[in-house]
Coordinates of all heavy atoms in Angstrom, one line a residue:
M1 N 29.2 -82.5 57.1 CA 30.1 -82.7 55.9 C 31.4 -83.2 56.4 O 32.1 -82.6 57.3 CB 30.2 -81.4 55.2 CG 30.9 -81.6 53.8 SD 31.2 -80.0 52.9 CE 29.6 -79.7 52.3
S2 N 31.9 -84.3 55.8 CA 33.2 -84.9 56.2 C 34.3 -84.0 55.8 O 34.2 -83.1 54.9 CB 33.4 -86.3 55.7 OG 33.6 -86.2 54.3
K3 N 35.5 -84.2 56.3 CA 36.7 -83.4 55.9 C 37.0 -83.5 54.5 O 37.3 -82.6 53.8 CB 37.9 -83.8 56.8 CG 37.9 -83.2 58.2 CD 39.2 -83.5 58.9 CE 39.2 -82.7 60.2 NZ 40.5 -83.0 60.9
I4 N 36.9 -84.8 54.0 CA 37.2 -85.1 52.6 C 36.2 -84.4 51.7 O 36.5 -83.8 50.7 CB 37.2 -86.6 52.3 CG1 38.5 -87.2 53.0 CG2 37.3 -86.9 50.8 CD1 38.6 -88.6 52.9
A5 N 34.9 -84.5 52.0 CA 33.8 -83.9 51.2 C 34.0 -82.4 51.2 O 33.8 -81.7 50.2 CB 32.4 -84.3 51.7
R6 N 34.3 -81.8 52.3 CA 34.5 -80.4 52.4 C 35.7 -79.9 51.6 O 35.6 -78.9 50.9 CB 34.7 -80.0 53.9 CG 34.9 -78.5 54.1 CD 35.1 -78.0 55.5 NE 34.1 -78.6 56.4 CZ 34.3 -79.0 57.6 NH1 35.6 -79.0 58.1 NH2 33.4 -79.5 58.3
R7 N 36.8 -80.7 51.6 CA 38.0 -80.4 50.8 C 37.7 -80.4 49.4 O 38.0 -79.5 48.6 CB 39.1 -81.4 51.2 CG 40.4 -81.0 50.4 CD 41.5 -82.0 50.9 NE 41.7 -82.0 52.3 CZ 42.2 -83.0 53.0 NH1 42.5 -84.1 52.3 NH2 42.4 -83.0 54.2
K8 N 36.9 -81.4 48.9 CA 36.5 -81.6 47.5 C 35.6 -80.4 47.1 O 35.7 -79.9 46.0 CB 35.7 -82.9 47.3 CG 35.6 -83.3 45.9 CD 36.9 -83.7 45.3 CE 36.8 -84.1 43.9 NZ 38.1 -84.4 43.2
F9 N 34.7 -80.1 48.0 CA 33.8 -78.9 47.7 C 34.6 -77.6 47.5 O 34.3 -76.8 46.6 CB 32.8 -78.7 48.8 CG 32.0 -77.5 48.7 CD1 30.9 -77.5 47.9 CD2 32.2 -76.3 49.5 CE1 30.0 -76.3 47.7 CE2 31.5 -75.2 49.4 CZ 30.4 -75.2 48.5
I10 N 35.5 -77.4 48.4 CA 36.4 -76.2 48.3 C 37.2 -76.2 47.0 O 37.3 -75.2 46.2 CB 37.3 -76.1 49.5 CG1 36.4 -75.7 50.7 CG2 38.4 -75.0 49.3 CD1 37.2 -75.9 52.0
Q11 N 37.7 -77.4 46.6 CA 38.5 -77.5 45.3 C 37.6 -77.2 44.1 O 38.0 -76.4 43.3 CB 39.1 -78.9 45.2 CG 40.3 -79.1 46.2 CD 40.7 -80.6 46.1 OE1 40.0 -81.4 45.7 NE2 41.9 -80.8 46.7
L12 N 36.4 -77.7 44.1 CA 35.5 -77.5 43.0 C 35.1 -76.1 42.9 O 35.0 -75.5 41.8 CB 34.3 -78.5 43.0 CG 34.7 -79.9 42.8 CD1 33.4 -80.8 43.1 CD2 35.1 -80.2 41.4
S13 N 34.9 -75.4 44.1 CA 34.4 -74.1 44.1 C 35.6 -73.2 43.5 O 35.3 -72.2 42.8 CB 34.2 -73.6 45.6 OG 33.1 -74.4 46.0
A14 N 36.8 -73.5 43.9 CA 37.9 -72.7 43.4 C 38.1 -72.8 41.9 O 38.3 -71.9 41.2 CB 39.2 -73.2 44.1
V15 N 37.8 -74.0 41.3 CA 37.9 -74.2 39.9 C 36.8 -73.5 39.2 O 37.0 -72.8 38.2 CB 37.8 -75.8 39.5 CG1 37.6 -75.9 38.0 CG2 39.1 -76.5 40.0
A16 N 35.6 -73.5 39.8 CA 34.4 -72.8 39.2 C 34.7 -71.3 39.2 O 34.4 -70.6 38.2 CB 33.2 -73.2 40.0
A17 N 35.2 -70.8 40.3 CA 35.5 -69.4 40.4 C 36.6 -69.0 39.3 O 36.4 -67.9 38.8 CB 35.9 -69.1 41.8
A18 N 37.6 -69.7 39.2 CA 38.6 -69.4 38.2 C 38.0 -69.3 36.8 O 38.4 -68.5 36.0 CB 39.8 -70.4 38.3
G19 N 37.1 -70.2 36.5 CA 36.4 -70.3 35.2 C 35.7 -69.0 34.9 O 35.7 -68.5 33.7
C20 N 35.1 -68.4 35.9 CA 34.4 -67.1 35.8 C 35.3 -66.0 35.3 O 35.0 -65.1 34.5 CB 33.7 -66.7 37.0 SG 32.4 -67.7 37.5
F21 N 36.6 -66.0 35.8 CA 37.5 -65.0 35.3 C 38.2 -65.3 34.0 O 38.6 -64.4 33.3 CB 38.6 -64.8 36.5 CG 38.0 -64.3 37.7 CD1 37.9 -65.1 38.8 CD2 37.7 -62.9 37.7 CE1 37.3 -64.6 40.0 CE2 37.1 -62.4 38.9 CZ 36.9 -63.2 40.0
V22 N 38.4 -66.6 33.7 CA 39.1 -66.9 32.5 C 38.2 -66.7 31.2 O 38.7 -66.1 30.2 CB 39.5 -68.5 32.5 CG1 40.0 -68.9 31.1 CG2 40.6 -68.6 33.5
A23 N 36.9 -67.0 31.3 CA 36.1 -66.8 30.1 C 36.0 -65.4 29.6 O 36.2 -65.2 28.4 CB 34.7 -67.3 30.4
P24 N 35.7 -64.4 30.4 CA 35.7 -63.0 29.9 C 36.9 -62.6 29.2 O 37.0 -61.9 28.2 CB 35.3 -62.2 31.1 CG 34.7 -63.1 32.0 CD 35.4 -64.4 31.8
A25 N 38.1 -63.0 29.8 CA 39.4 -62.5 29.3 C 39.6 -63.1 27.9 O 40.1 -62.5 27.0 CB 40.5 -63.0 30.2
R26 N 39.2 -64.4 27.7 CA 39.4 -65.0 26.4 C 38.5 -64.3 25.4 O 39.0 -64.2 24.2 CB 39.0 -66.5 26.6 CG 39.3 -67.3 25.3 CD 39.0 -68.7 25.5 NE 39.3 -69.5 24.4 CZ 38.7 -69.6 23.3 NH1 37.5 -69.0 23.2 NH2 39.1 -70.3 22.3
Q27 N 37.3 -63.8 25.7 CA 36.5 -63.2 24.7 C 37.0 -61.9 24.3 O 36.7 -61.4 23.2 CB 35.1 -62.9 25.3 CG 34.3 -64.2 25.6 CD 33.1 -64.0 26.3 OE1 32.8 -62.9 26.8 NE2 32.3 -65.1 26.5
S28 N 37.9 -61.2 25.0 CA 38.4 -59.9 24.7 C 39.8 -60.0 24.0 O 40.4 -58.9 23.8 CB 38.5 -59.0 25.9 OG 39.4 -59.6 26.8
Q29 N 40.3 -61.2 23.6 CA 41.6 -61.3 23.0 C 41.5 -60.5 21.6 O 40.6 -60.6 20.9 CB 41.9 -62.8 22.7 CG 42.3 -63.4 24.0 CD 42.7 -64.8 23.7 OE1 42.5 -65.4 22.7 NE2 43.3 -65.5 24.8
A30 N 42.6 -59.8 21.3 CA 42.7 -59.0 20.1 C 42.4 -59.7 18.9 O 41.8 -59.2 17.9 CB 44.0 -58.2 20.1
G31 N 42.9 -61.0 18.8 CA 42.7 -61.8 17.6 C 41.3 -62.1 17.2 O 41.0 -62.4 16.1
E32 N 40.4 -61.9 18.1 CA 39.0 -62.2 17.9 C 38.2 -61.0 17.5 O 37.0 -61.1 17.2 CB 38.4 -62.9 19.1 CG 39.0 -64.2 19.4 CD 38.6 -64.8 20.7 OE1 37.6 -64.3 21.3 OE2 39.2 -65.8 21.2
L33 N 38.8 -59.8 17.6 CA 38.1 -58.6 17.3 C 38.2 -58.2 15.9 O 39.3 -58.4 15.3 CB 38.6 -57.4 18.3 CG 38.4 -57.7 19.8 CD1 39.1 -56.5 20.5 CD2 36.9 -57.7 20.1
P34 N 37.2 -57.5 15.3 CA 37.3 -57.1 13.9 C 38.3 -55.8 13.8 O 38.4 -55.1 14.8 CB 35.9 -56.6 13.6 CG 35.3 -56.4 14.9 CD 35.9 -57.3 15.9
R35 N 38.9 -55.7 12.6 CA 39.8 -54.6 12.4 C 39.0 -53.3 12.1 O 38.0 -53.4 11.4 CB 40.7 -54.9 11.2 CG 41.6 -56.0 11.5 CD 42.5 -56.3 10.2 NE 43.4 -57.4 10.6 CZ 44.3 -57.9 9.7 NH1 44.4 -57.3 8.5 NH2 45.1 -58.9 10.0
L36 N 39.5 -52.2 12.7 CA 38.8 -50.9 12.4 C 39.0 -50.5 11.0 O 40.2 -50.5 10.5 CB 39.4 -49.9 13.4 CG 38.9 -48.5 13.2 CD1 37.4 -48.4 13.5 CD2 39.7 -47.5 14.1
S37 N 38.1 -50.2 10.3 CA 38.2 -49.7 8.9 C 38.4 -48.2 8.9 O 37.7 -47.4 9.6 CB 36.9 -50.0 8.1 OG 37.0 -49.3 6.9
P38 N 39.3 -47.7 8.1 CA 39.5 -46.2 8.0 C 38.2 -45.5 7.5 O 38.1 -44.3 7.7 CB 40.7 -46.1 7.0 CG 41.4 -47.4 7.1 CD 40.4 -48.4 7.4
D39 N 37.4 -46.3 6.9 CA 36.1 -45.7 6.4 C 35.0 -45.6 7.4 O 34.0 -45.0 7.2 CB 35.6 -46.6 5.2 CG 36.6 -46.5 4.0 OD1 37.2 -45.5 3.9 OD2 36.6 -47.6 3.3
D40 N 35.2 -46.3 8.6 CA 34.3 -46.1 9.7 C 34.1 -44.6 10.0 O 35.1 -43.9 10.0 CB 34.9 -46.9 10.9 CG 34.0 -46.7 12.1 OD1 34.2 -45.7 12.8 OD2 33.3 -47.6 12.4
A41 N 32.9 -44.2 10.3 CA 32.6 -42.8 10.5 C 33.4 -42.2 11.6 O 34.0 -41.1 11.5 CB 31.1 -42.6 10.8
M42 N 33.5 -42.9 12.7 CA 34.3 -42.4 13.8 C 35.8 -42.4 13.5 O 36.5 -41.4 13.8 CB 34.0 -43.3 15.1 CG 34.9 -42.9 16.3 SD 34.1 -41.6 17.2 CE 34.9 -41.7 18.8
A43 N 36.3 -43.4 12.8 CA 37.7 -43.5 12.4 C 38.0 -42.4 11.5 O 39.1 -41.7 11.6 CB 37.9 -44.8 11.8
A44 N 37.1 -42.1 10.5 CA 37.4 -41.0 9.5 C 37.4 -39.7 10.3 O 38.2 -38.8 9.9 CB 36.3 -41.0 8.5
A45 N 36.5 -39.5 11.2 CA 36.5 -38.2 12.0 C 37.8 -38.0 12.8 O 38.2 -36.9 13.0 CB 35.3 -38.2 13.0
M46 N 38.4 -39.1 13.2 CA 39.7 -39.0 13.9 C 40.9 -39.2 13.0 O 42.0 -39.3 13.4 CB 39.7 -40.2 14.9 CG 38.7 -40.2 16.0 SD 38.7 -38.6 16.9 CE 37.2 -38.8 17.9
K47 N 40.6 -39.1 11.7 CA 41.7 -39.2 10.6 C 42.5 -40.5 10.7 O 43.7 -40.4 10.5 CB 42.6 -38.0 10.7 CG 41.9 -36.7 10.5 CD 42.8 -35.5 10.7 CE 42.0 -34.2 10.5 NZ 42.9 -33.0 10.8
Y48 N 41.9 -41.6 11.2 CA 42.6 -42.8 11.4 C 43.1 -43.4 10.0 O 42.4 -43.3 9.1 CB 41.7 -43.9 12.1 CG 42.3 -45.3 12.0 CD1 43.3 -45.6 12.9 CD2 41.7 -46.2 11.2 CE1 43.8 -46.9 12.9 CE2 42.3 -47.6 11.2 CZ 43.3 -47.9 12.0 OH 43.9 -49.1 12.0
T49 N 44.3 -43.8 10.1 CA 44.9 -44.5 8.9 C 45.7 -45.8 9.4 O 46.1 -45.8 10.6 CB 45.9 -43.6 8.1 OG1 46.6 -44.4 7.2 CG2 46.9 -43.0 9.1
E50 N 45.7 -46.8 8.5 CA 46.5 -48.0 8.9 C 48.0 -47.8 8.7 O 48.7 -48.7 9.1 CB 46.0 -49.2 8.1 CG 44.5 -49.5 8.5 CD 44.0 -50.7 7.7 OE1 44.6 -51.1 6.6 OE2 42.8 -51.1 8.0
D51 N 48.4 -46.7 8.1 CA 49.8 -46.5 7.8 C 50.2 -45.0 8.2 O 50.0 -44.1 7.6 CB 50.1 -46.7 6.3 CG 51.6 -46.5 6.0 OD1 52.4 -46.2 6.9 OD2 51.9 -46.7 4.8
A52 N 50.9 -45.0 9.5 CA 51.2 -43.7 10.0 C 52.1 -42.9 9.1 O 52.3 -41.6 9.2 CB 51.8 -43.8 11.4
S53 N 52.9 -43.6 8.3 CA 53.9 -42.9 7.4 C 53.3 -42.0 6.3 O 53.9 -41.2 5.7 CB 54.9 -43.9 6.8 OG 54.2 -44.7 5.8
T54 N 52.0 -42.2 6.1 CA 51.3 -41.4 5.1 C 50.8 -40.1 5.7 O 50.2 -39.3 5.0 CB 50.1 -42.2 4.6 OG1 49.1 -42.4 5.6 CG2 50.5 -43.6 4.0
V55 N 51.0 -39.9 7.0 CA 50.4 -38.6 7.6 C 51.5 -37.6 7.6 O 52.7 -37.8 8.0 CB 50.1 -39.0 9.1 CG1 49.6 -37.7 9.8 CG2 49.0 -40.0 9.2
D56 N 51.1 -36.4 7.1 CA 52.0 -35.3 7.0 C 52.3 -34.7 8.5 O 51.3 -34.3 9.2 CB 51.4 -34.1 6.2 CG 52.3 -32.9 6.1 OD1 53.3 -32.9 6.8 OD2 51.9 -32.0 5.4
P57 N 53.5 -34.8 9.0 CA 53.7 -34.4 10.4 C 53.2 -33.0 10.7 O 52.8 -32.7 11.8 CB 55.3 -34.5 10.5 CG 55.7 -35.4 9.5 CD 54.7 -35.3 8.4
A58 N 53.2 -32.1 9.7 CA 52.7 -30.7 9.9 C 51.2 -30.7 10.2 O 50.8 -29.6 10.8 CB 53.0 -29.9 8.6
T59 N 50.5 -31.7 9.9 CA 49.0 -31.7 10.2 C 48.7 -32.3 11.5 O 47.6 -32.3 12.0 CB 48.3 -32.5 9.1 OG1 48.7 -33.9 9.2 CG2 48.6 -32.0 7.7
R60 N 49.7 -32.8 12.3 CA 49.4 -33.4 13.6 C 49.4 -32.4 14.7 O 50.0 -31.4 14.7 CB 50.5 -34.5 13.9 CG 50.7 -35.5 12.8 CD 51.6 -36.6 13.2 NE 53.0 -36.2 13.5 CZ 54.0 -36.9 13.3 NH1 54.0 -38.1 12.8 NH2 55.2 -36.4 13.6
N61 N 48.5 -32.7 15.7 CA 48.4 -31.8 16.9 C 49.6 -31.9 17.7 O 50.0 -30.9 18.4 CB 47.1 -32.2 17.6 CG 45.8 -32.0 16.8 OD1 45.7 -31.2 16.0 ND2 44.9 -32.9 17.1
N62 N 50.2 -33.1 17.9 CA 51.3 -33.2 18.8 C 52.6 -33.2 18.1 O 52.7 -33.8 17.0 CB 51.1 -34.6 19.5 CG 52.1 -34.8 20.6 OD1 53.3 -34.8 20.5 ND2 51.5 -34.9 21.9
P63 N 53.6 -32.5 18.5 CA 54.9 -32.4 17.8 C 55.8 -33.6 17.9 O 56.8 -33.7 17.2 CB 55.5 -31.1 18.4 CG 55.0 -31.2 19.8 CD 53.6 -31.7 19.8
A64 N 55.5 -34.6 18.7 CA 56.4 -35.7 18.8 C 56.8 -36.3 17.5 O 55.9 -36.5 16.6 CB 55.7 -36.8 19.7
E65 N 58.0 -36.6 17.3 CA 58.5 -37.0 15.9 C 57.9 -38.4 15.5 O 57.5 -38.5 14.4 CB 60.0 -37.1 16.0 CG 60.7 -37.1 14.6 CD 62.1 -36.9 14.6 OE1 62.6 -36.0 15.3 OE2 62.9 -37.6 13.9
V66 N 58.0 -39.4 16.3 CA 57.6 -40.8 15.9 C 56.3 -41.0 16.6 O 56.1 -41.1 17.8 CB 58.6 -41.9 16.4 CG1 58.2 -43.2 16.0 CG2 60.0 -41.5 15.8
Q67 N 55.3 -41.2 15.7 CA 53.9 -41.4 16.2 C 53.2 -42.5 15.4 O 53.2 -42.5 14.2 CB 53.0 -40.1 16.0 CG 53.5 -38.9 16.8 CD 52.5 -37.7 16.7 OE1 51.4 -37.9 16.4 NE2 53.0 -36.6 17.0
D68 N 52.8 -43.5 16.1 CA 52.0 -44.6 15.6 C 51.2 -45.3 16.7 O 51.5 -45.0 17.9 CB 52.8 -45.6 14.7 CG 53.9 -46.3 15.6 OD1 53.8 -46.4 16.8 OD2 55.0 -46.6 15.0
C69 N 50.3 -46.1 16.3 CA 49.5 -46.7 17.3 C 50.3 -47.5 18.4 O 50.0 -47.6 19.5 CB 48.4 -47.6 16.7 SG 47.1 -46.7 15.8
A70 N 51.4 -48.1 17.9 CA 52.2 -48.9 18.8 C 52.8 -48.1 20.0 O 53.0 -48.7 21.1 CB 53.3 -49.7 18.1
N71 N 53.0 -46.8 19.7 CA 53.6 -46.1 20.8 C 52.7 -45.1 21.4 O 53.1 -44.1 22.0 CB 55.0 -45.5 20.4 CG 54.8 -44.3 19.3 OD1 53.6 -44.0 19.0 ND2 55.9 -43.8 18.9
C72 N 51.4 -45.3 21.2 CA 50.3 -44.4 21.7 C 49.9 -44.8 23.1 O 49.8 -46.0 23.4 CB 49.1 -44.4 20.7 SG 47.7 -43.4 21.3
A73 N 49.7 -43.8 24.0 CA 49.2 -44.1 25.3 C 47.9 -44.9 25.3 O 47.5 -45.5 26.4 CB 49.2 -42.9 26.1
L74 N 47.1 -44.8 24.3 CA 45.8 -45.3 24.4 C 45.6 -46.7 23.8 O 44.6 -47.4 23.8 CB 44.8 -44.4 23.6 CG 44.7 -43.0 24.2 CD1 44.0 -42.1 23.2 CD2 44.1 -43.0 25.5
V75 N 46.8 -47.3 23.2 CA 46.7 -48.6 22.7 C 46.7 -49.7 23.8 O 47.3 -49.4 24.9 CB 47.9 -48.9 21.7 CG1 49.2 -49.1 22.4 CG2 47.6 -50.0 20.7
Q76 N 46.2 -50.8 23.6 CA 46.1 -51.9 24.5 C 46.7 -53.1 23.9 O 47.2 -53.1 22.8 CB 44.6 -52.1 25.0 CG 44.0 -50.9 25.7 CD 42.6 -51.0 26.0 OE1 41.8 -51.5 25.1 NE2 42.2 -50.6 27.2
G77 N 46.6 -54.2 24.6 CA 47.1 -55.5 24.1 C 48.6 -55.6 24.3 O 49.2 -55.0 25.2
N78 N 49.2 -56.4 23.4 CA 50.6 -56.9 23.6 C 51.5 -56.1 22.6 O 51.2 -56.0 21.4 CB 50.7 -58.4 23.3 CG 49.8 -59.1 24.3 OD1 49.7 -58.8 25.5 ND2 49.1 -60.1 23.8
D79 N 52.7 -55.7 23.2 CA 53.7 -55.1 22.3 C 54.1 -56.2 21.2 O 54.2 -57.3 21.5 CB 55.0 -54.8 23.1 CG 54.7 -53.5 24.0 OD1 53.8 -52.8 23.7 OD2 55.5 -53.3 24.9
G80 N 54.3 -55.7 20.0 CA 54.7 -56.6 18.9 C 53.6 -57.1 18.1 O 53.7 -57.6 17.0
D81 N 52.3 -57.1 18.6 CA 51.2 -57.5 17.8 C 50.9 -56.5 16.7 O 50.9 -55.3 16.9 CB 49.9 -57.7 18.7 CG 49.9 -58.9 19.6 OD1 50.9 -59.7 19.5 OD2 49.0 -59.1 20.5
A82 N 50.5 -56.9 15.5 CA 50.3 -56.0 14.4 C 49.0 -55.3 14.5 O 48.8 -54.3 14.0 CB 50.3 -56.9 13.1
W83 N 48.0 -56.0 15.2 CA 46.7 -55.4 15.4 C 46.4 -55.4 16.9 O 46.5 -56.4 17.6 CB 45.6 -56.2 14.7 CG 45.8 -56.0 13.2 CD1 46.6 -56.8 12.4 CD2 45.3 -55.0 12.3 NE1 46.5 -56.3 11.1 CE2 45.7 -55.2 11.0 CE3 44.4 -53.9 12.6 CZ2 45.4 -54.4 9.9 CZ3 44.1 -53.1 11.5 CH2 44.6 -53.3 10.2
R84 N 46.0 -54.3 17.5 CA 45.8 -54.2 18.9 C 44.5 -53.4 19.2 O 44.2 -52.5 18.5 CB 47.0 -53.5 19.5 CG 48.3 -54.2 19.3 CD 49.5 -53.5 19.7 NE 49.5 -53.3 21.2 CZ 50.6 -52.7 21.8 NH1 51.6 -52.3 21.1 NH2 50.5 -52.5 23.1
P85 N 43.9 -53.7 20.4 CA 42.7 -52.9 20.8 C 43.2 -51.5 21.2 O 44.3 -51.3 21.5 CB 42.3 -53.6 22.1 CG 42.9 -55.0 22.0 CD 44.2 -54.9 21.3
C86 N 42.2 -50.6 21.1 CA 42.5 -49.2 21.4 C 41.3 -48.6 22.2 O 40.2 -49.0 22.0 CB 42.6 -48.4 20.1 SG 42.5 -46.6 20.3
Q87 N 41.7 -47.8 23.2 CA 40.6 -47.3 24.1 C 39.6 -46.4 23.4 O 38.5 -46.2 23.8 CB 41.3 -46.5 25.3 CG 42.1 -47.4 26.2 CD 42.8 -46.5 27.3 OE1 42.1 -45.7 27.9 NE2 44.0 -46.7 27.5
I88 N 40.0 -45.8 22.3 CA 39.1 -44.9 21.6 C 38.1 -45.6 20.7 O 37.0 -45.2 20.4 CB 40.0 -43.9 20.7 CG1 40.9 -43.1 21.5 CG2 39.1 -43.0 19.8 CD1 40.2 -42.2 22.5
F89 N 38.5 -46.8 20.3 CA 37.6 -47.7 19.4 C 37.3 -49.0 20.0 O 37.9 -50.0 19.6 CB 38.3 -47.8 18.1 CG 38.6 -46.5 17.3 CD1 39.9 -46.0 17.3 CD2 37.7 -45.8 16.7 CE1 40.3 -44.8 16.6 CE2 37.9 -44.5 16.2 CZ 39.2 -44.1 16.1
P90 N 36.5 -49.0 21.0 CA 36.2 -50.3 21.7 C 35.5 -51.3 20.8 O 34.8 -51.0 19.9 CB 35.2 -49.9 22.9 CG 34.6 -48.6 22.4 CD 35.7 -47.9 21.6
G91 N 35.9 -52.6 20.9 CA 35.3 -53.7 20.2 C 36.0 -53.9 18.8 O 35.6 -54.7 18.0
K92 N 37.1 -53.1 18.5 CA 37.9 -53.2 17.3 C 39.3 -53.2 17.6 O 39.7 -52.9 18.7 CB 37.6 -52.0 16.4 CG 36.1 -51.7 16.1 CD 35.7 -52.6 14.9 CE 34.2 -52.5 14.6 NZ 33.8 -51.2 13.9
V93 N 40.1 -53.6 16.6 CA 41.6 -53.5 16.8 C 42.1 -52.5 15.8 O 41.5 -52.4 14.7 CB 42.3 -54.9 16.6 CG1 42.0 -55.8 17.9 CG2 41.9 -55.6 15.4
V94 N 43.1 -51.9 16.1 CA 43.8 -50.9 15.2 C 45.2 -51.4 14.7 O 45.7 -52.2 15.4 CB 43.9 -49.5 15.8 CG1 42.5 -49.0 16.1 CG2 44.8 -49.6 17.1
A95 N 45.6 -50.9 13.6 CA 47.0 -51.3 13.1 C 48.0 -50.8 14.0 O 48.0 -49.6 14.3 CB 47.1 -50.9 11.7
A96 N 49.0 -51.6 14.4 CA 50.1 -51.1 15.3 C 50.9 -49.9 14.5 O 51.4 -49.0 15.1 CB 51.0 -52.2 15.7
A97 N 50.9 -50.1 13.2 CA 51.6 -49.1 12.3 C 50.7 -47.9 12.0 O 51.1 -47.1 11.2 CB 52.1 -49.8 11.1
G98 N 49.5 -48.0 12.5 CA 48.5 -46.9 12.1 C 48.7 -45.6 13.0 O 49.6 -45.4 13.7
W99 N 47.7 -44.8 12.9 CA 47.7 -43.5 13.5 C 46.3 -42.8 13.5 O 45.6 -43.1 12.6 CB 48.7 -42.5 12.9 CG 48.8 -41.2 13.5 CD1 49.7 -40.8 14.6 CD2 48.1 -40.0 13.2 NE1 49.5 -39.4 14.9 CE2 48.5 -38.9 14.0 CE3 47.1 -39.7 12.2 CZ2 48.0 -37.7 14.0 CZ3 46.6 -38.4 12.2 CH2 47.0 -37.4 13.0
C100 N 46.1 -42.0 14.5 CA 44.9 -41.1 14.4 C 45.1 -39.8 15.1 O 46.1 -39.7 15.9 CB 43.6 -41.8 14.9 SG 43.3 -41.6 16.7
S101 N 44.3 -38.8 15.0 CA 44.5 -37.5 15.5 C 44.5 -37.4 17.1 O 44.8 -36.4 17.7 CB 43.5 -36.5 15.0 OG 42.2 -36.9 15.3
V102 N 44.1 -38.5 17.7 CA 44.0 -38.5 19.2 C 45.3 -39.0 19.7 O 45.5 -39.1 21.0 CB 42.8 -39.4 19.7 CG1 42.6 -39.5 21.1 CG2 41.5 -39.0 19.0
W103 N 46.2 -39.4 18.9 CA 47.5 -40.0 19.4 C 48.1 -39.2 20.6 O 48.0 -37.9 20.6 CB 48.6 -39.9 18.3 CG 49.9 -40.6 18.7 CD1 50.2 -41.9 18.6 CD2 51.0 -39.9 19.4 NE1 51.4 -42.2 19.2 CE2 52.0 -41.0 19.6 CE3 51.2 -38.7 19.8 CZ2 53.2 -40.6 20.3 CZ3 52.5 -38.4 20.4 CH2 53.4 -39.4 20.6
A104 N 48.5 -39.9 21.6 CA 49.1 -39.2 22.8 C 50.3 -40.1 23.3 O 50.4 -41.3 23.1 CB 48.1 -39.2 23.9
P105 N 51.4 -39.4 23.7 CA 52.5 -40.1 24.1 C 52.4 -40.9 25.4 O 51.6 -40.5 26.3 CB 53.6 -39.0 24.3 CG 52.7 -37.8 24.7 CD 51.5 -37.9 24.0
K106 N 53.1 -42.0 25.5 CA 53.0 -42.8 26.7 C 53.8 -42.1 27.8 O 54.7 -41.4 27.5 CB 53.7 -44.2 26.4 CG 52.8 -45.1 25.5 CD 53.4 -46.5 25.4 CE 52.5 -47.3 24.5 NZ 53.1 -48.7 24.3
A107 N 53.3 -42.2 29.0 CA 53.9 -41.4 30.2 C 55.3 -42.0 30.4 O 55.6 -43.1 30.2 CB 53.0 -41.6 31.4
Ligands
SF4_1 FE1 46.1 -45.4 17.4 FE2 46.3 -44.0 19.6 FE3 44.6 -43.3 17.7 FE4 44.1 -45.5 19.1 S1 44.2 -43.4 19.9 S2 43.9 -45.3 16.9 S3 46.2 -46.3 19.4 S4 46.8 -43.3 17.5

């Protein structure tokens, strides 16, 4: 293999390898995932709501004053997004303004 052919082969291999990493990441973008419904059986069991302000603080397990999905340790995705993935509900996005009984403070 000539030096030029070898260099071209290495360049194409690098592009192909990069493509393997880009495609899965694109599939998991929050904008492409369905929103979690509060009526979902698992969501209902966790008392999930899309509006944390509707939750009586006296009924929460954790005493932290400000609790919503945006400041939960289990939320994923980007700060500022209205809907974000959550480790408890894989394959769905939750409302950043929402809440569920699993809420935990960020470290
Ligand atoms: Fe929201 Fe946290 Fe419950 Fe997920 S675990 S739904 S981010 S409060």
Side-chain angles (χ1 to χ4, degrees):
M1 188 180 285
S2 73
K3 281 187 174 181
I4 292 175
R6 184 180 306 143
R7 186 178 304 153
K8 194 70 177 174
F9 173 77
I10 291 170
Q11 287 173 342
L12 291 173
S13 298
V15 169
C20 292
F21 292 106
V22 169
R26 188 173 182 282
Q27 290 170 355
S28 63
Q29 287 181 350
E32 299 172 4
L33 297 174
R35 294 178 179 183
L36 176 67
S37 168
D39 296 329
D40 175 278
M42 178 82 163
M46 302 297 173
K47 302 177 183 173
Y48 170 74
T49 174
E50 294 177 352
D51 184 358
S53 70
T54 63
V55 179
D56 179 357
T59 65
R60 301 187 305 211
N61 297 329
N62 190 299
E65 194 169 318
V66 180
Q67 297 185 22
D68 57 30
C69 293
N71 69 3
C72 176
L74 300 169
V75 77
Q76 300 174 314
N78 302 315
D79 286 343
D81 286 355
W83 294 87
R84 300 172 62 176
C86 165
Q87 295 177 45
I88 300 297
F89 301 104
K92 302 278 177 71
V93 287
V94 299
W99 178 88
C100 88
S101 60
V102 184
W103 184 91
K106 290 183 178 178

